Amino acid sequence: MVDVSKGRLLCCGPMFFVCASFILSQFASKQCHYATIPDGSYLNERFLATDLGIWCYTIRGGQEIYYTNDRDFNSGNEFDRPFYSARGFSIASTTLGAIVLIVNVLAPCCAPLSTPKVTGVMGVFLLLACVCESCTFLFFRSDAVCNCSNCGCSLGVGGKCGVAASVLYFVSSVLTCGLA
């Protein structure tokens, strides 16, 4: 977003953090390992679930199963607002991250994208992506998946990647706004 030929020190920093946070965000939301279910819990015993994701879950043996309707998993509870909110925030963080990534890639060869005003807008988009990525943790408040009695969910690999993506989106935002 900043002209490298002018010798600015931090011009490559935001791009690195944007790429890393986008990749981590994608891994967090698209994999079926957002939350881990311990052996002996209700979800593990009844549905053979070992890991839960925003879009799918994993059963014993490693098979991934995508949620197909409101009652397909943990049939006693319908998917609720926190579950659907987590999905919506996942899509929003992906969209915002992709926009910033595309603008960062095109900025060196397209002069209108290299202006301080566009850089400032991208900083705001990154801050919004940070907020959206953080709000995907509403998943853990859903009665259908992790907030039920004896569910025993804990942060899985995808959830940890989501935390890292949130932090990196914030760092990217600070670096990008510092360049504007």
Side-chain angles (χ1 to χ4, degrees), residues 10 30-31 45 50 68 70 99 106 112 121 140 143 153 158 164 179:
L10 295 176
K30 303 301 183 266
Q31 298 296 317
E45 294 299 320
T50 57
T68 56
D70 284 350
I99 290 169
L106 295 177
V121 169
F140 288 97
D143 292 334
C153 290
L179 293 175

Side-chain angles (χ1 to χ4, degrees), residues 28-153:
S29 65
K30 303 301 183 266
Q31 298 296 317
C32 300
H33 306 289
Y34 203 75
T36 301
I37 309 211
D39 289 338
S41 73
Y42 167 75
L43 295 174
N44 184 274
E45 294 299 320
R46 182 157 181 211
F47 300 100
L48 306 176
T50 57
D51 292 296
L52 300 174
I54 294 175
W55 302 99
C56 58
Y57 61 97
T58 305
I59 61 172
R60 292 182 197 154
Q63 181 183 0
E64 294 180 352
I65 300 173
Y66 287 88
Y67 305 117
T68 56
N69 60 43
D70 284 350
R71 293 181 166 250
D72 137 26
F73 181 80
N74 195 2
S75 58
N77 296 322
E78 290 184 8
F79 292 137
D80 51 3
R81 285 186 180 157
F83 180 82
Y84 288 119
S85 296
R87 281 183 159 189
F89 283 119
S90 170
I91 292 168
S93 69
T94 296
T95 304
L96 290 165
I99 290 169
V100 173
L101 194 59
I102 290 167
V103 169
N104 273 324
V105 168
L106 295 177
C109 58
C110 185
L113 295 177
S114 297
T115 63
K117 188 175 186 177
V118 171
T119 303
V121 169
M122 290 303 106
V124 171
F125 276 22
L126 286 166
L127 190 58
L128 289 172
C130 171
V131 170
C132 289
E133 185 66 38
S134 299
C135 287
T136 59
F137 289 97
L138 286 171
F139 180 81
F140 288 97
R141 300 286 301 166
S142 172
D143 292 334
V145 286
C146 281
N147 202 26
C148 59
S149 60
N150 193 24
C151 287
C153 290

Side-chain angles (χ1 to χ4, degrees), residues 151-171:
C151 287
C153 290
S154 62
L155 203 60
V157 174
K160 292 173 186 174
C161 287
V163 170
S166 295
V167 169
L168 290 177
Y169 273 135
F170 181 76
V171 169

